[in-house]
Amino acid sequence: MLVWAAYSRTTFGAGTSGLTQTAIYRPSDGSVTAYTVSNTGHDMFCPGISIDFNGRIVVTGGDTAQKTSIYSSSWTAGGDMKIPRGYQTTATLSDGRIFTIGGSWSGGNGGKNGEVFNPATNTWSLLSGCPVAPMLTNDAQGIFRQDNHAWLFAWKNGYVFQAGPSKAMNWYGTSGSGSRSSAGTRAADGDSMDGNAVMYDAVAGKIATFGGSPDYQNSYATRNAHVITINAPGSTPQVTQINPMYYARAFATGVILPDGKVFIVGGQTYAIPFSDGNSSLTPEMWDPSTTRFTRMAPIPTPRNYHSVALLMPDGTVFSGGGGLCGSCATNHLDGQMYSPPYLFGADGTTKATRPSISSISATTIRVGGSLGISTSTSINNFSLIRISSNTHTVNSDQRRVPLTASGTGLNKTLTLPSDSGVLLPGYWYLFAVDGNGVPSVAKTVKITL
C-alpha cells in the first residue's frame, strides 16, 4: 500500500516545496519503507488521485497545483494541468483518459472547469463544454470550498456522473470539447460537503451516498443516506432516500466489501478540520438488501479530516491517518486493520472457515470476456472490486461488479460485463463469496479493452 503526506510528514504549506514524503507498507510482513520524492518537483498534498488502465497511480495538483506525478514502480513526472488545482477530483474514463474538475483550494479561486489527461501522450486538454459552475455548493467560505471533492463516477461512452456533494447532480461528456447536462437534484438532500458516495453495484448503476454537511467546516453533519440509480448517460437518475445512518458524519469514508455491503468509518458530527472533537467512533455497516445500518465495533482512534480507508485483498479494511497539522495533538500517523463480521462465526469470536480460489483460467481478461474459476467449495457468488485510491473522503476508483456464474460444482465460468464504462479496465480484486457471506482471499486480475 502506497501512502504519502506533504513536504513534511506532519505539516503542509501550499507552494513551499516540490517534495513529498511517501512510504510503502507491505502487509505480508508489516514492513514500511519511507522515502522522499523530489524528482517530479511536486508536493502532492491534497491532490486528485486516479488509477489508470495499467495500474499506474496518477496524482494531480494539491500543494504544487499544476503538477502531475505518476507512480508505477517508481515516480515520474506527467504533463502539467492546464488549470492549477487542489481538492479536485479525478476519474478514470471508459476510454482510458482521466477527467478532472474543481479544485479552488489551491492554484487560485474559481474557474476550475473540466479538463482531461491522455496517458498515451502525457498531456492535458481543456474541455470548454464542462463548466464547474453547475456543481458548486453554497459554502459559507465561497468558491474556495464550493468546488471541492466532487463525487465523480465514470460511466458509459466517456461520460462522468457527478452525484454530489452539491445537491445538484450533473452529467459531463468528455468527447470533443465536452458537454454538460443537468441530472436533477439528490431528492431533498442539501449540499453534503465532506460526505461520501460509493458505486456498490456498477452493473445495476447503483450508488449509495452517506452524510456530509452544508459547509466544509464549522457545520453540522447529517445522517442522510440515499441510493442513486443511473442508466443511459444524460438520463435522469432515480434517487431514493433510505434509512438514515445512526450517526451524523462529515469526513467519513465508505469502503465496499466483497459481499456488497459498505463499511462506513470515521467522521465527525460537526465538521472541524484538524480536530478530534465530535468524532463518530462507532463505524456502521450498510446492507443494500435491507437499506439499513448496523453499528460495528468502535474504533480506537478518531479518523476525521485527512483520514483514509481501503479494502485489502484478504477482505479486511485498512483505516488510518488524520491530521497533518504540525505540532497539533491530532496528527494520527498510524492505522488499524478492521476485520468485518463475515470473517467470524456466529459467536463473533471463532474465525470463519473461508472458501478459497484454487485456480483461474487467466489473470488478464478483456471487457466482455469470460473467466474459468475453480474453488474449494461450490460457490455461486463472485464479485470484482477495483483496486482503488482514497483521499479526503473521495475514492473515484472504487466500484464493485457482481459477476454472473454458470456451471456446477467446483468449476464455474464467470461472464464479465461488456461495457468499459461499467467494468473500467485496470487491476481488480476477484472474490468468491460462499453461502454464509464469507469471502475468499482475492486473486488480482487485470481487465483490458
PDB file of all heavy atoms in Angstrom, residues 185-216:
ATOM      1  N   THR A 185     -31.695  16.897  -8.889  1.00  0.00           N
ATOM      2  CA  THR A 185     -31.191  17.046  -7.528  1.00  0.00           C
ATOM      3  C   THR A 185     -31.262  15.715  -6.790  1.00  0.00           C
ATOM      4  O   THR A 185     -31.999  14.805  -7.188  1.00  0.00           O
ATOM      5  CB  THR A 185     -31.979  18.103  -6.750  1.00  0.00           C
ATOM      6  OG1 THR A 185     -33.366  17.742  -6.751  1.00  0.00           O
ATOM      7  CG2 THR A 185     -31.819  19.477  -7.379  1.00  0.00           C
ATOM      8  N   ARG A 186     -30.504  15.622  -5.710  1.00  0.00           N
ATOM      9  CA  ARG A 186     -30.424  14.392  -4.911  1.00  0.00           C
ATOM     10  C   ARG A 186     -31.596  14.363  -3.920  1.00  0.00           C
ATOM     11  O   ARG A 186     -31.424  14.512  -2.703  1.00  0.00           O
ATOM     12  CB  ARG A 186     -29.065  14.346  -4.217  1.00  0.00           C
ATOM     13  CG  ARG A 186     -28.596  12.971  -3.797  1.00  0.00           C
ATOM     14  CD  ARG A 186     -27.151  12.955  -3.307  1.00  0.00           C
ATOM     15  NE  ARG A 186     -26.858  14.040  -2.385  1.00  0.00           N
ATOM     16  CZ  ARG A 186     -26.193  15.143  -2.721  1.00  0.00           C
ATOM     17  NH1 ARG A 186     -25.744  15.317  -3.951  1.00  0.00           N
ATOM     18  NH2 ARG A 186     -25.977  16.091  -1.813  1.00  0.00           N
ATOM     19  N   ALA A 187     -32.790  14.183  -4.481  1.00  0.00           N
ATOM     20  CA  ALA A 187     -34.030  14.187  -3.694  1.00  0.00           C
ATOM     21  C   ALA A 187     -34.086  15.454  -2.848  1.00  0.00           C
ATOM     22  O   ALA A 187     -33.849  16.541  -3.353  1.00  0.00           O
ATOM     23  CB  ALA A 187     -34.140  12.913  -2.850  1.00  0.00           C
ATOM     24  N   ALA A 188     -34.381  15.329  -1.559  1.00  0.00           N
ATOM     25  CA  ALA A 188     -34.487  16.504  -0.686  1.00  0.00           C
ATOM     26  C   ALA A 188     -33.178  16.799   0.030  1.00  0.00           C
ATOM     27  O   ALA A 188     -33.129  17.694   0.888  1.00  0.00           O
ATOM     28  CB  ALA A 188     -35.591  16.288   0.337  1.00  0.00           C
ATOM     29  N   ASP A 189     -32.119  16.076  -0.307  1.00  0.00           N
ATOM     30  CA  ASP A 189     -30.826  16.277   0.345  1.00  0.00           C
ATOM     31  C   ASP A 189     -30.272  17.650   0.006  1.00  0.00           C
ATOM     32  O   ASP A 189     -30.450  18.152  -1.111  1.00  0.00           O
ATOM     33  CB  ASP A 189     -29.844  15.196  -0.129  1.00  0.00           C
ATOM     34  CG  ASP A 189     -28.672  15.013   0.811  1.00  0.00           C
ATOM     35  OD1 ASP A 189     -28.742  15.481   1.960  1.00  0.00           O
ATOM     36  OD2 ASP A 189     -27.681  14.363   0.398  1.00  0.00           O
ATOM     37  N   GLY A 190     -29.587  18.271   0.953  1.00  0.00           N
ATOM     38  CA  GLY A 190     -28.920  19.532   0.687  1.00  0.00           C
ATOM     39  C   GLY A 190     -27.480  19.311   0.262  1.00  0.00           C
ATOM     40  O   GLY A 190     -27.058  18.176   0.000  1.00  0.00           O
ATOM     41  N   ASP A 191     -26.727  20.385   0.154  1.00  0.00           N
ATOM     42  CA  ASP A 191     -25.296  20.236  -0.103  1.00  0.00           C
ATOM     43  C   ASP A 191     -24.684  19.363   0.988  1.00  0.00           C
ATOM     44  O   ASP A 191     -24.997  19.515   2.176  1.00  0.00           O
ATOM     45  CB  ASP A 191     -24.614  21.595  -0.116  1.00  0.00           C
ATOM     46  CG  ASP A 191     -25.026  22.458  -1.308  1.00  0.00           C
ATOM     47  OD1 ASP A 191     -25.483  21.895  -2.318  1.00  0.00           O
ATOM     48  OD2 ASP A 191     -24.874  23.701  -1.218  1.00  0.00           O
ATOM     49  N   SER A 192     -23.787  18.468   0.582  1.00  0.00           N
ATOM     50  CA  SER A 192     -23.269  17.454   1.504  1.00  0.00           C
ATOM     51  C   SER A 192     -21.752  17.358   1.414  1.00  0.00           C
ATOM     52  O   SER A 192     -21.183  16.278   1.213  1.00  0.00           O
ATOM     53  CB  SER A 192     -23.914  16.093   1.198  1.00  0.00           C
ATOM     54  OG  SER A 192     -25.311  16.150   1.367  1.00  0.00           O
ATOM     55  N   MET A 193     -21.092  18.517   1.546  1.00  0.00           N
ATOM     56  CA  MET A 193     -19.638  18.554   1.501  1.00  0.00           C
ATOM     57  C   MET A 193     -19.056  17.655   2.592  1.00  0.00           C
ATOM     58  O   MET A 193     -19.638  17.535   3.677  1.00  0.00           O
ATOM     59  CB  MET A 193     -19.153  19.995   1.678  1.00  0.00           C
ATOM     60  CG  MET A 193     -17.670  20.173   1.479  1.00  0.00           C
ATOM     61  SD  MET A 193     -17.060  19.665  -0.143  1.00  0.00           S
ATOM     62  CE  MET A 193     -17.704  20.978  -1.193  1.00  0.00           C
ATOM     63  N   ASP A 194     -17.929  17.024   2.293  1.00  0.00           N
ATOM     64  CA  ASP A 194     -17.249  16.087   3.194  1.00  0.00           C
ATOM     65  C   ASP A 194     -18.056  14.804   3.396  1.00  0.00           C
ATOM     66  O   ASP A 194     -17.756  14.018   4.312  1.00  0.00           O
ATOM     67  CB  ASP A 194     -16.961  16.701   4.573  1.00  0.00           C
ATOM     68  CG  ASP A 194     -16.354  18.096   4.501  1.00  0.00           C
ATOM     69  OD1 ASP A 194     -15.497  18.311   3.624  1.00  0.00           O
ATOM     70  OD2 ASP A 194     -16.752  18.967   5.313  1.00  0.00           O
ATOM     71  N   GLY A 195     -19.077  14.595   2.553  1.00  0.00           N
ATOM     72  CA  GLY A 195     -19.819  13.344   2.599  1.00  0.00           C
ATOM     73  C   GLY A 195     -19.148  12.301   1.726  1.00  0.00           C
ATOM     74  O   GLY A 195     -18.016  12.461   1.260  1.00  0.00           O
ATOM     75  N   ASN A 196     -19.867  11.226   1.465  1.00  0.00           N
ATOM     76  CA  ASN A 196     -19.273  10.071   0.815  1.00  0.00           C
ATOM     77  C   ASN A 196     -20.254   9.444  -0.164  1.00  0.00           C
ATOM     78  O   ASN A 196     -21.463   9.426   0.085  1.00  0.00           O
ATOM     79  CB  ASN A 196     -18.874   9.048   1.887  1.00  0.00           C
ATOM     80  CG  ASN A 196     -17.841   8.064   1.412  1.00  0.00           C
ATOM     81  OD1 ASN A 196     -18.070   6.864   1.420  1.00  0.00           O
ATOM     82  ND2 ASN A 196     -16.689   8.546   0.988  1.00  0.00           N
ATOM     83  N   ALA A 197     -19.725   8.930  -1.280  1.00  0.00           N
ATOM     84  CA  ALA A 197     -20.555   8.250  -2.267  1.00  0.00           C
ATOM     85  C   ALA A 197     -19.780   7.065  -2.830  1.00  0.00           C
ATOM     86  O   ALA A 197     -18.591   7.193  -3.137  1.00  0.00           O
ATOM     87  CB  ALA A 197     -20.957   9.202  -3.393  1.00  0.00           C
ATOM     88  N   VAL A 198     -20.444   5.908  -2.967  1.00  0.00           N
ATOM     89  CA  VAL A 198     -19.778   4.694  -3.437  1.00  0.00           C
ATOM     90  C   VAL A 198     -20.664   3.979  -4.454  1.00  0.00           C
ATOM     91  O   VAL A 198     -21.888   3.918  -4.300  1.00  0.00           O
ATOM     92  CB  VAL A 198     -19.440   3.733  -2.277  1.00  0.00           C
ATOM     93  CG1 VAL A 198     -18.469   4.384  -1.298  1.00  0.00           C
ATOM     94  CG2 VAL A 198     -20.693   3.281  -1.542  1.00  0.00           C
ATOM     95  N   MET A 199     -20.027   3.426  -5.505  1.00  0.00           N
ATOM     96  CA  MET A 199     -20.752   2.635  -6.508  1.00  0.00           C
ATOM     97  C   MET A 199     -20.668   1.162  -6.104  1.00  0.00           C
ATOM     98  O   MET A 199     -19.731   0.444  -6.448  1.00  0.00           O
ATOM     99  CB  MET A 199     -20.169   2.866  -7.902  1.00  0.00           C
ATOM    100  CG  MET A 199     -20.937   2.129  -8.992  1.00  0.00           C
ATOM    101  SD  MET A 199     -20.369   2.540 -10.670  1.00  0.00           S
ATOM    102  CE  MET A 199     -21.382   3.993 -11.003  1.00  0.00           C
ATOM    103  N   TYR A 200     -21.670   0.708  -5.360  1.00  0.00           N
ATOM    104  CA  TYR A 200     -21.607  -0.624  -4.771  1.00  0.00           C
ATOM    105  C   TYR A 200     -22.073  -1.716  -5.730  1.00  0.00           C
ATOM    106  O   TYR A 200     -21.820  -2.892  -5.496  1.00  0.00           O
ATOM    107  CB  TYR A 200     -22.413  -0.670  -3.469  1.00  0.00           C
ATOM    108  CG  TYR A 200     -23.900  -0.453  -3.633  1.00  0.00           C
ATOM    109  CD1 TYR A 200     -24.774  -1.527  -3.791  1.00  0.00           C
ATOM    110  CD2 TYR A 200     -24.452   0.830  -3.625  1.00  0.00           C
ATOM    111  CE1 TYR A 200     -26.140  -1.327  -3.929  1.00  0.00           C
ATOM    112  CE2 TYR A 200     -25.808   1.035  -3.763  1.00  0.00           C
ATOM    113  CZ  TYR A 200     -26.645  -0.038  -3.917  1.00  0.00           C
ATOM    114  OH  TYR A 200     -28.000   0.160  -4.070  1.00  0.00           O
ATOM    115  N   ASP A 201     -22.760  -1.353  -6.811  1.00  0.00           N
ATOM    116  CA  ASP A 201     -23.170  -2.318  -7.835  1.00  0.00           C
ATOM    117  C   ASP A 201     -23.146  -1.604  -9.179  1.00  0.00           C
ATOM    118  O   ASP A 201     -24.126  -0.981  -9.581  1.00  0.00           O
ATOM    119  CB  ASP A 201     -24.559  -2.873  -7.533  1.00  0.00           C
ATOM    120  CG  ASP A 201     -25.005  -3.957  -8.524  1.00  0.00           C
ATOM    121  OD1 ASP A 201     -24.376  -4.088  -9.602  1.00  0.00           O
ATOM    122  OD2 ASP A 201     -25.975  -4.675  -8.219  1.00  0.00           O
ATOM    123  N   ALA A 202     -22.003  -1.692  -9.870  1.00  0.00           N
ATOM    124  CA  ALA A 202     -21.852  -0.969 -11.133  1.00  0.00           C
ATOM    125  C   ALA A 202     -22.722  -1.554 -12.228  1.00  0.00           C
ATOM    126  O   ALA A 202     -23.159  -0.828 -13.130  1.00  0.00           O
ATOM    127  CB  ALA A 202     -20.382  -0.974 -11.561  1.00  0.00           C
ATOM    128  N   VAL A 203     -22.986  -2.852 -12.185  1.00  0.00           N
ATOM    129  CA  VAL A 203     -23.823  -3.475 -13.217  1.00  0.00           C
ATOM    130  C   VAL A 203     -25.215  -2.860 -13.216  1.00  0.00           C
ATOM    131  O   VAL A 203     -25.799  -2.585 -14.274  1.00  0.00           O
ATOM    132  CB  VAL A 203     -23.895  -4.998 -13.002  1.00  0.00           C
ATOM    133  CG1 VAL A 203     -24.868  -5.637 -13.984  1.00  0.00           C
ATOM    134  CG2 VAL A 203     -22.511  -5.624 -13.147  1.00  0.00           C
ATOM    135  N   ALA A 204     -25.752  -2.609 -12.027  1.00  0.00           N
ATOM    136  CA  ALA A 204     -27.084  -2.021 -11.895  1.00  0.00           C
ATOM    137  C   ALA A 204     -27.047  -0.501 -11.825  1.00  0.00           C
ATOM    138  O   ALA A 204     -28.095   0.135 -11.691  1.00  0.00           O
ATOM    139  CB  ALA A 204     -27.774  -2.575 -10.654  1.00  0.00           C
ATOM    140  N   GLY A 205     -25.861   0.101 -11.899  1.00  0.00           N
ATOM    141  CA  GLY A 205     -25.744   1.555 -11.820  1.00  0.00           C
ATOM    142  C   GLY A 205     -26.109   2.117 -10.463  1.00  0.00           C
ATOM    143  O   GLY A 205     -26.600   3.245 -10.355  1.00  0.00           O
ATOM    144  N   LYS A 206     -25.811   1.367  -9.394  1.00  0.00           N
ATOM    145  CA  LYS A 206     -26.232   1.749  -8.048  1.00  0.00           C
ATOM    146  C   LYS A 206     -25.116   2.474  -7.292  1.00  0.00           C
ATOM    147  O   LYS A 206     -23.996   1.973  -7.166  1.00  0.00           O
ATOM    148  CB  LYS A 206     -26.637   0.505  -7.257  1.00  0.00           C
ATOM    149  CG  LYS A 206     -27.830  -0.258  -7.817  1.00  0.00           C
ATOM    150  CD  LYS A 206     -29.135   0.472  -7.566  1.00  0.00           C
ATOM    151  CE  LYS A 206     -30.332  -0.375  -7.957  1.00  0.00           C
ATOM    152  NZ  LYS A 206     -31.608   0.342  -7.736  1.00  0.00           N
ATOM    153  N   ILE A 207     -25.463   3.643  -6.763  1.00  0.00           N
ATOM    154  CA  ILE A 207     -24.554   4.466  -5.974  1.00  0.00           C
ATOM    155  C   ILE A 207     -25.240   4.769  -4.646  1.00  0.00           C
ATOM    156  O   ILE A 207     -26.411   5.156  -4.618  1.00  0.00           O
ATOM    157  CB  ILE A 207     -24.234   5.782  -6.694  1.00  0.00           C
ATOM    158  CG1 ILE A 207     -23.522   5.515  -8.022  1.00  0.00           C
ATOM    159  CG2 ILE A 207     -23.418   6.720  -5.812  1.00  0.00           C
ATOM    160  CD1 ILE A 207     -23.496   6.716  -8.950  1.00  0.00           C
ATOM    161  N   ALA A 208     -24.506   4.606  -3.544  1.00  0.00           N
ATOM    162  CA  ALA A 208     -25.027   4.983  -2.232  1.00  0.00           C
ATOM    163  C   ALA A 208     -24.289   6.221  -1.738  1.00  0.00           C
ATOM    164  O   ALA A 208     -23.072   6.349  -1.930  1.00  0.00           O
ATOM    165  CB  ALA A 208     -24.869   3.845  -1.234  1.00  0.00           C
ATOM    166  N   THR A 209     -25.015   7.146  -1.105  1.00  0.00           N
ATOM    167  CA  THR A 209     -24.400   8.361  -0.566  1.00  0.00           C
ATOM    168  C   THR A 209     -24.668   8.438   0.933  1.00  0.00           C
ATOM    169  O   THR A 209     -25.743   8.046   1.402  1.00  0.00           O
ATOM    170  CB  THR A 209     -24.922   9.630  -1.253  1.00  0.00           C
ATOM    171  OG1 THR A 209     -26.272   9.892  -0.829  1.00  0.00           O
ATOM    172  CG2 THR A 209     -24.900   9.479  -2.772  1.00  0.00           C
ATOM    173  N   PHE A 210     -23.675   8.960   1.651  1.00  0.00           N
ATOM    174  CA  PHE A 210     -23.744   8.962   3.111  1.00  0.00           C
ATOM    175  C   PHE A 210     -23.256  10.302   3.675  1.00  0.00           C
ATOM    176  O   PHE A 210     -22.131  10.726   3.416  1.00  0.00           O
ATOM    177  CB  PHE A 210     -22.868   7.851   3.689  1.00  0.00           C
ATOM    178  CG  PHE A 210     -23.115   6.491   3.106  1.00  0.00           C
ATOM    179  CD1 PHE A 210     -22.168   5.900   2.281  1.00  0.00           C
ATOM    180  CD2 PHE A 210     -24.288   5.802   3.361  1.00  0.00           C
ATOM    181  CE1 PHE A 210     -22.374   4.643   1.739  1.00  0.00           C
ATOM    182  CE2 PHE A 210     -24.514   4.545   2.820  1.00  0.00           C
ATOM    183  CZ  PHE A 210     -23.555   3.961   2.002  1.00  0.00           C
ATOM    184  N   GLY A 211     -24.115  10.973   4.453  1.00  0.00           N
ATOM    185  CA  GLY A 211     -23.711  12.091   5.272  1.00  0.00           C
ATOM    186  C   GLY A 211     -23.223  13.309   4.521  1.00  0.00           C
ATOM    187  O   GLY A 211     -23.661  13.615   3.412  1.00  0.00           O
ATOM    188  N   GLY A 212     -22.269  14.023   5.148  1.00  0.00           N
ATOM    189  CA  GLY A 212     -21.801  15.299   4.651  1.00  0.00           C
ATOM    190  C   GLY A 212     -22.429  16.439   5.436  1.00  0.00           C
ATOM    191  O   GLY A 212     -23.273  16.235   6.319  1.00  0.00           O
ATOM    192  N   SER A 213     -22.006  17.670   5.107  1.00  0.00           N
ATOM    193  CA  SER A 213     -22.528  18.843   5.804  1.00  0.00           C
ATOM    194  C   SER A 213     -22.721  19.987   4.812  1.00  0.00           C
ATOM    195  O   SER A 213     -22.107  19.995   3.742  1.00  0.00           O
ATOM    196  CB  SER A 213     -21.588  19.268   6.932  1.00  0.00           C
ATOM    197  OG  SER A 213     -20.296  19.524   6.435  1.00  0.00           O
ATOM    198  N   PRO A 214     -23.571  20.959   5.126  1.00  0.00           N
ATOM    199  CA  PRO A 214     -23.831  22.054   4.184  1.00  0.00           C
ATOM    200  C   PRO A 214     -22.580  22.848   3.829  1.00  0.00           C
ATOM    201  O   PRO A 214     -22.445  23.329   2.702  1.00  0.00           O
ATOM    202  CB  PRO A 214     -24.853  22.912   4.919  1.00  0.00           C
ATOM    203  CG  PRO A 214     -25.523  21.991   5.882  1.00  0.00           C
ATOM    204  CD  PRO A 214     -24.459  21.031   6.311  1.00  0.00           C
ATOM    205  N   ASP A 215     -21.669  23.009   4.789  1.00  0.00           N
ATOM    206  CA  ASP A 215     -20.431  23.752   4.577  1.00  0.00           C
ATOM    207  C   ASP A 215     -19.242  22.862   4.885  1.00  0.00           C
ATOM    208  O   ASP A 215     -19.349  21.880   5.643  1.00  0.00           O
ATOM    209  CB  ASP A 215     -20.382  24.993   5.469  1.00  0.00           C
ATOM    210  CG  ASP A 215     -21.540  25.938   5.202  1.00  0.00           C
ATOM    211  OD1 ASP A 215     -21.793  26.253   4.027  1.00  0.00           O
ATOM    212  OD2 ASP A 215     -22.202  26.341   6.187  1.00  0.00           O
ATOM    213  N   TYR A 216     -18.098  23.241   4.351  1.00  0.00           N
ATOM    214  CA  TYR A 216     -16.909  22.409   4.524  1.00  0.00           C
ATOM    215  C   TYR A 216     -16.516  22.290   5.991  1.00  0.00           C
ATOM    216  O   TYR A 216     -16.078  21.229   6.445  1.00  0.00           O
ATOM    217  CB  TYR A 216     -15.744  23.009   3.723  1.00  0.00           C
ATOM    218  CG  TYR A 216     -14.632  22.025   3.448  1.00  0.00           C
ATOM    219  CD1 TYR A 216     -14.466  21.465   2.191  1.00  0.00           C
ATOM    220  CD2 TYR A 216     -13.737  21.653   4.446  1.00  0.00           C
ATOM    221  CE1 TYR A 216     -13.456  20.557   1.932  1.00  0.00           C
ATOM    222  CE2 TYR A 216     -12.727  20.747   4.204  1.00  0.00           C
ATOM    223  CZ  TYR A 216     -12.588  20.197   2.939  1.00  0.00           C
ATOM    224  OH  TYR A 216     -11.587  19.290   2.698  1.00  0.00           O
TER     225      TYR A 216
END
